[in-house]
Amino acid sequence: MDDQPRIDYLRDHLVQAHQAIQDGVKLEGYHLWSLMDNFEWAEGYGQRWGIVYVDYPTQRRTRRAGPAWYRGVATRNGI
């Protein structure tokens, strides 16, 4: 499953968060939008924002590549 767009999105946001800190913003945390794909009132089941893919008919959960990348960022404390 291609997760590069999600990784790019996360990387870009973390770069901007770092820049905000450098500019003096008191940023206390950053949280991903959603752990798992789920129902969103405005989008229904059409958008998949979770870092874990959910196959709705079977409820099987599959980790995307993004979580491993994000874990590496957290472990290194940097991109």
Side-chain angles (χ1 to χ4, degrees):
M1 179 179 311
D2 179 26
D3 207 25
Q4 193 58 50
R6 183 181 322 273
I7 292 169
D8 294 344
Y9 176 87
L10 289 171
R11 184 193 62 241
D12 293 348
H13 276 72
L14 291 173
V15 166
Q16 291 301 315
H18 178 73
Q19 184 60 52
I21 292 168
Q22 295 299 315
D23 292 344
V25 173
K26 185 181 176 189
L27 182 64
E28 295 183 5
Y30 176 81
H31 303 277
L32 299 177
W33 179 259
S34 180
L35 172 64
M36 293 187 292
D37 292 334
N38 59 359
F39 179 82
E40 295 288 334
W41 286 108
E43 302 293 335
Y45 288 107
Q47 296 291 327
R48 293 185 172 264
W49 289 300
I51 61 172
V52 174
Y53 174 84
V54 177
D55 178 32
Y56 295 129
T58 66
Q59 292 298 298
R60 182 175 178 189
R61 280 104 166 135
T62 305
R63 282 183 278 182
R64 294 182 167 115
W69 178 86
Y70 194 66
R71 179 180 58 233
V73 170
T75 300
R76 291 186 304 273
N77 193 28
I79 298 172

